[in-house]
Amino acid sequence: MAIRNLGRAALLATLLASAAVGIAWATEGWYGRVDAGYSVDGGLKTSGGDLDFDNDWSAHAALGYAFHNGFRLEGEGAYRQNEFSDLDGDANATAAMANLYYDFNRDGVIQPYVGIGAGVAKIDVSGSAGALVTFDDDDTVAAYQGMAGVAVALSDRLDLDVGYRYFKAPDASFDGRISDQEGGFNPFTIDGDYEHQAVLVGLRYQFGARAAPV
């Protein structure tokens, strides 16, 4: 039974691939993109130790322009939220990024790509370790990211986009406080690098219809 099901799945995949082979468009012009991401690793890396993240969702949206030479340039807004694995609290990152991509096989149905990005991110963290240590602060710092993935042409305007993204916002500082024996509090500062790795799935819509290559 398992072999029969596997054979059916392979046949279905072959038919879908055969149907897609005849469809190919050159990506060029203005486009919009929306993605949902799911983190696979990350945390706040501090000199006193790493505060790891639980996996969670992120949201991304962008407006860009694809050039005829395979490069794409876009502006992106993104929001990431993760709870800490080791203590009560969470970390949120709101980022505005400028991204540069290069698309391979741009006239094909399947278009792998790589990209880099730079911008700014507001990192907001809050948490506590019992009643002794608490922190709730935010910092805005420079950020950068690296991307790799593949786009699959669904029509002359719409692509399915699946990719991996590494995002980092280094040198962030957050204020907190530690309770003392007299019932008061002493301030302290957490210095750390925000890191986030995620898999993204989304759609890219070309505003102008793409001409099929000759």
Side-chain angles (χ1 to χ4, degrees):
M1 182 65 68
I3 295 177
R4 181 181 301 174
N5 291 337
L6 182 61
R8 291 175 179 174
L11 177 59
L12 179 59
T14 301
L15 292 174
L16 291 174
S18 299
V21 165
I23 307 173
W25 295 277
T27 300
E28 188 173 345
W30 290 100
Y31 68 88
R33 175 177 60 80
V34 291
D35 300 275
Y38 190 73
S39 60
V40 295
D41 194 14
L44 189 64
K45 315 300 183 181
T46 76
S47 58
D50 296 343
L51 300 178
D52 294 329
F53 293 155
D54 287 337
N55 296 339
D56 210 335
W57 295 97
S58 62
H60 311 253
L63 177 66
Y65 189 89
F67 298 93
H68 70 280
N69 58 4
F71 285 97
R72 286 187 287 119
L73 183 64
E74 68 177 28
E76 177 196 45
Y79 180 77
R80 299 168 172 86
Q81 178 172 342
N82 297 85
E83 293 185 352
F84 291 114
S85 301
D86 308 317
L87 51 80
D88 292 331
D90 56 34
N92 306 325
T94 305
M97 308 293 291
N99 301 323
L100 178 66
Y101 296 89
Y102 183 78
D103 294 319
F104 301 92
N105 191 37
R106 62 182 295 272
D107 292 335
V109 176
I110 299 177
Q111 301 178 11
Y113 64 83
V114 294
I116 56 174
V120 295
K122 178 184 177 184
I123 312 299
D124 192 332
V125 301
S126 63
S128 63
L132 299 179
V133 179
T134 59
F135 54 93
D136 187 356
D137 197 13
D138 62 77
D139 195 10
T140 300
V141 296
Y144 60 87
Q145 59 186 358
M147 298 82 74
V150 61
V152 179
L154 302 179
S155 73
D156 63 341
R157 291 177 184 257
L158 189 65
D159 292 339
L160 174 66
D161 196 321
V162 180
Y164 161 82
R165 183 163 305 197
Y166 173 81
F167 176 87
K168 186 171 184 178
D171 302 324
S173 295
F174 310 100
D175 293 333
R177 60 184 189 174
I178 303 176
S179 62
D180 57 28
Q181 295 180 349
E182 286 75 29
F185 293 93
N186 295 317
F188 73 95
T189 300
I190 300 174
D191 296 321
D193 299 338
Y194 176 98
E195 294 184 1
H196 190 275
Q197 299 185 56
V199 175
L200 276 65
V201 178
L203 295 173
R204 192 194 314 163
Y205 182 78
Q206 195 84 14
F207 295 126
R210 296 175 291 191
V214 179

